[in-house]
């Protein structure tokens, strides 16, 4: 039998190199709260108690996954996004705070413009975080979401079901949209957070991301860093109604290039925006009224 305080110490000792002691302790508290419903005061009252083997086993199993740099969200099985709890596993990217900023921008702008009666498509939906939070903000919208990965779509569908939201799912390669997406109906909003990390950036990546998150959702070939943006811009040009908006999350290095691409294609009101960290992160554009 072990004391909880000795397991806490083990977390700090074994994770401090990877995360720092403070963060290691936070991860420990998160697990206690999630798996056993223990708040911090409960823990403080009970930390000198001897604990059952099964509790120690569960905590130490989680510790060994954390030591392998596995993100806590995959261990818990969920992540929070725009106030919603979303299921995640290794087939989907863990939703990021900068993507919440993208969603907030769309909600603010579209609420003013349309009162929520919208047709929206999210290209490369992953966990479904963008599509689901937009559907939740605009219950009358018709929201479509596309991904190449069946495993990702499986998770995204579960997330939508859990929040009782209905979305049109499309399994397709965003590079092949022309073949799969024949429709006469136009969209008000096209949004995408496509893969945008280049091979050259591998060296700067945290092992959390590099080892555990799906490369399919992250990487684009270094020789064609704008590949997905080109294809989605072409899709948007054809399938946005006049006055409709395109929103991209981007790699901070390619803000000017993505803007340039959209201007050349003929889009109007092309704007580059920064995230809370001050990095170029969002590009938006409008298909002009014809
Ligand atoms: N923002 C993610 C990261 O830095 C990447 C997301 C993406 O490639 N679309 O890990």
């Amino acid at each position: 039998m072990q004391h909880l305080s000795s397991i806490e110490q083990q977390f700090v000792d074994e994770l401090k190199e990877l995360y720092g002691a403070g963060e290691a302790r936070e991860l420990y508290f998160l697990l206690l709260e999630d798996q056993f419903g223990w708040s911090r005061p409960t823990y403080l009252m009970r930390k000198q108690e001897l604990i059952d083997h099964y509790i120690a086993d569960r905590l130490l199993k989680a510790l060994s996954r954390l030591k392998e740099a596995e993100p806590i969200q995959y261990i818990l099985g969920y992540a929070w996004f725009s106030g919603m709890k979303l299921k995640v596993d290794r087939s989907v990217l863990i939703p990021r705070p900068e993507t919440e900023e993208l969603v907030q921008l769309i909600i603010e702008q579209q609420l003013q413009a349309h009162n929520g009666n919208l047709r929206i498509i999210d290209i490369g939906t992953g966990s479904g975080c963008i599509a689901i939070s937009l559907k939740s903000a605009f219950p009358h919208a018709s929201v479509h979401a596309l991904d190449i990965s069946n495993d990702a779509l499986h998770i995204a569908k579960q997330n939508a079901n859990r929040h009782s939201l209905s979305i049109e799912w499309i399994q397709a390669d965003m590079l092949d949209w022309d073949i799969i997406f024949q429709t006469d109906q136009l969209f008000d909003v096209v949004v995408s957070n496509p893969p945008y990390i280049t091979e050259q950036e591998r060296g700067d990546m945290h092992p959390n991301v590099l080892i555990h998150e799906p490369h399919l959702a992250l990487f684009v070939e270094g020789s064609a860093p704008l590949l997905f943006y080109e294809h989605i811009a072409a899709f948007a040009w054809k399938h946005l109604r006049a006055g409709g908006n395109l929103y991209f999350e981007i790699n901070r290095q390619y803000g000017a290039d993505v803007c340039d691409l959209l201007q050349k294609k003929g889009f109007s009101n092309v704007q580059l925006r920064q995230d809370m960290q001050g990095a170029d992160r969002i590009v938006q554009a409008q298909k002009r009224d014809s």
Side-chain angles (χ1 to χ4, degrees):
M1 299 267 261
Q2 266 180 294
H3 290 111
L4 276 171
S5 56
S6 76
I7 299 186
E8 177 182 337
Q9 197 51 49
Q10 209 172 328
F11 266 69
V12 172
D13 291 343
E14 296 185 23
L15 296 176
K16 64 173 183 266
E17 207 174 309
L18 193 56
Y19 293 105
E23 178 71 17
R25 209 167 257 123
E26 287 303 321
L27 291 168
Y28 180 62
F29 289 138
L30 258 176
L31 284 164
L32 282 172
E33 189 175 52
D34 177 71
Q35 308 216 348
F36 310 110
W38 288 8
S39 65
R40 228 166 275 206
T42 307
Y43 173 70
L44 292 174
M45 283 185 292
R46 303 186 62 170
K47 69 191 268 187
Q48 298 310 336
E49 288 177 22
L50 289 169
I51 48 155
D52 290 341
H53 282 303
Y54 96 94
I55 295 187
D57 276 357
R58 280 171 69 171
L59 291 170
L60 294 175
K61 261 197 198 107
L63 173 60
S64 67
R65 291 173 71 178
L66 287 166
K67 271 165 65 179
E68 299 298 321
E70 186 166 350
I72 184 74
Q73 292 89 342
Y74 288 155
I75 297 172
L76 299 174
Y78 62 81
W80 288 96
F81 184 85
S82 291
M84 296 172 118
K85 192 175 183 177
L86 299 181
K87 178 173 176 169
V88 292
D89 71 12
R90 293 184 62 155
S91 57
V92 300
L93 204 66
I94 296 165
R96 305 287 203 270
E98 46 281 20
T99 309
E100 289 185 58
E101 293 184 56
L102 171 69
V103 165
Q104 284 316 312
L105 177 76
I106 300 174
I107 293 173
E108 276 162 32
Q109 293 189 346
Q110 296 302 316
L111 208 53
Q112 287 163 5
H114 297 279
N115 276 330
N117 266 329
L118 297 159
R119 276 176 56 83
I120 298 172
I121 184 162
D122 171 23
I123 300 181
T125 198
S127 65
C129 62
I130 297 177
I132 288 168
S133 44
L134 290 176
K135 178 67 184 174
S136 162
F138 303 119
H140 302 299
S142 154
V143 179
H144 303 245
L146 176 150
D147 208 282
I148 192 171
S149 156
N150 271 317
D151 291 342
L153 284 173
H154 183 65
I155 296 285
K157 283 178 195 170
Q158 290 179 53
N159 282 326
N161 290 343
R162 278 188 191 182
H163 293 280
S164 308
L165 297 169
S166 97
I167 289 176
E168 298 292 322
W169 304 104
I170 306 157
Q171 191 278 320
D173 184 343
M174 61 174 95
L175 302 179
D176 258 348
W177 55 266
D178 217 9
I179 302 162
I180 51 90
F181 208 77
Q182 301 295 347
T183 175
D184 296 334
Q185 280 192 299
L186 299 174
F187 290 96
D188 300 285
V189 171
V190 173
V191 54
S192 183
N193 173 18
Y196 59 63
I197 310 283
T198 60
E199 286 295 320
Q200 295 92 300
E201 293 171 281
R202 256 177 193 268
D204 308 328
M205 292 171 79
H206 194 279
N208 267 340
V209 180
L210 188 60
I211 305 173
H212 296 281
E213 294 202 85
H215 287 193
L216 187 64
L218 285 167
F219 286 106
V220 60
E221 273 191 44
S223 56
L226 302 185
L227 182 70
F228 293 111
Y229 295 96
E230 280 158 11
H231 277 78
I232 298 162
F235 172 85
W237 190 251
K238 188 163 167 193
H239 293 283
L240 272 177
R241 66 165 177 77
N245 291 93
L246 170 61
Y247 296 90
F248 279 138
E249 184 176 315
I250 58 152
N251 183 323
R252 64 174 76 195
Q253 298 188 64
Y254 296 110
D257 299 308
V258 173
C259 289
D260 202 41
L261 184 160
L262 294 177
Q263 265 146 2
K264 286 202 178 115
K265 186 94 198 140
F267 284 92
S268 318
N269 300 330
V270 177
Q271 288 177 56
L272 174 61
R273 293 173 178 271
Q274 287 72 41
D275 63 21
M276 276 182 200
Q277 317 286 334
D280 289 347
R281 188 60 66 203
I282 295 172
V283 173
Q284 69 172 107
Q286 193 167 37
K287 186 176 167 186
R288 66 171 171 258
D289 293 312
S290 46

